[in-house]
Amino acid sequence: MDWLFTNENGICHVRVAGLLLKEGRLFVQKAIGQEEYALPGGHLQFGETTEQALLREFQEEFGVRIRCRRLLWTEETFWKWDGKNAHAIGFYYLIDLCEGAVLPAEFAPLKDHRRVAAGWAPIGELDNLPIYPPFLKKEIQNLAEHPKHFVRRG
């Protein structure tokens, strides 16, 4: 069961995502036909740690094993989603691919979600992309040694 709760007034969920860097590029995902990018990941399931959830998500979506190096950021986000109040809590990890793991060179649909594609974006072009979380563009330039916490409303 995902940590995704809805009722007539609102939506609340917990999401995990991975920051994967390689040769000046960042691994990202986006809904096919949409312009907004995000870091790959997914919802936490009941009973999982955030690291376990991220390992599971990369295995399900890309068929690869990853290693979580460290927690980079946490974020609390509040916004309107389909007319309802939404509240998300996000955990963002710096990750590495395990030995032998290969991701597609070009954007390709996810294994478990054909409406979403993932691929590599040059870090130097992030300023020109609508990407979430918004603080990513600044923070990726100089990763802090200790986790940072962000709160975003809007």
Side-chain angles (χ1 to χ4, degrees):
M1 174 172 72
D2 285 350
W3 279 61
L4 172 64
F5 307 100
T6 63
N7 65 25
E8 63 278 355
N9 299 317
I11 301 165
C12 180
H13 67 96
V14 177
R15 185 172 188 274
V16 296
L19 182 82
L20 180 60
L21 303 167
K22 180 180 179 183
E23 300 170 354
R25 299 175 301 154
L26 172 66
F27 195 65
V28 295
Q29 69 180 35
K30 70 178 199 132
I32 294 172
Q34 301 293 316
E35 296 300 318
E36 296 173 339
Y37 293 81
L39 295 175
H43 290 116
L44 182 70
Q45 290 184 350
F46 186 77
E48 284 182 319
T49 67
T50 53
E51 284 190 32
Q52 289 170 333
L54 193 54
L55 297 175
R56 176 186 49 76
E57 287 289 347
F58 267 77
Q59 185 66 50
E60 288 175 0
E61 294 176 357
F62 309 107
V64 298
R65 291 182 49 232
I66 61 165
R67 178 179 67 88
C68 293
R69 260 202 267 174
R70 63 186 173 94
L71 179 65
L72 290 171
W73 312 302
T74 57
E75 179 188 37
E76 296 176 73
T77 309
F78 304 87
W79 77 104
K80 291 285 188 186
W81 187 0
D82 292 334
K84 294 183 179 184
N85 291 320
H87 181 183
I89 299 172
F91 294 85
Y92 299 89
Y93 284 90
L94 180 61
I95 63 171
D96 293 313
L97 290 173
C98 289
E99 189 173 330
V102 178
L103 290 168
E106 302 295 326
F107 273 84
L110 276 58
K111 290 179 182 265
D112 71 337
H113 198 312
R114 306 306 280 173
R115 295 183 319 241
V116 177
W120 298 93
I123 293 172
E125 295 178 16
L126 290 183
D127 283 341
N128 301 322
L129 297 179
I131 191 165
Y132 291 93
F135 59 79
L136 174 67
K137 293 177 183 183
K138 178 183 176 203
E139 294 297 321
I140 198 170
Q141 302 303 323
N142 186 22
L143 299 178
E145 291 185 31
H146 302 285
K148 287 186 171 183
H149 181 74
F150 297 88
V151 176
R152 180 168 49 102
R153 295 183 184 275

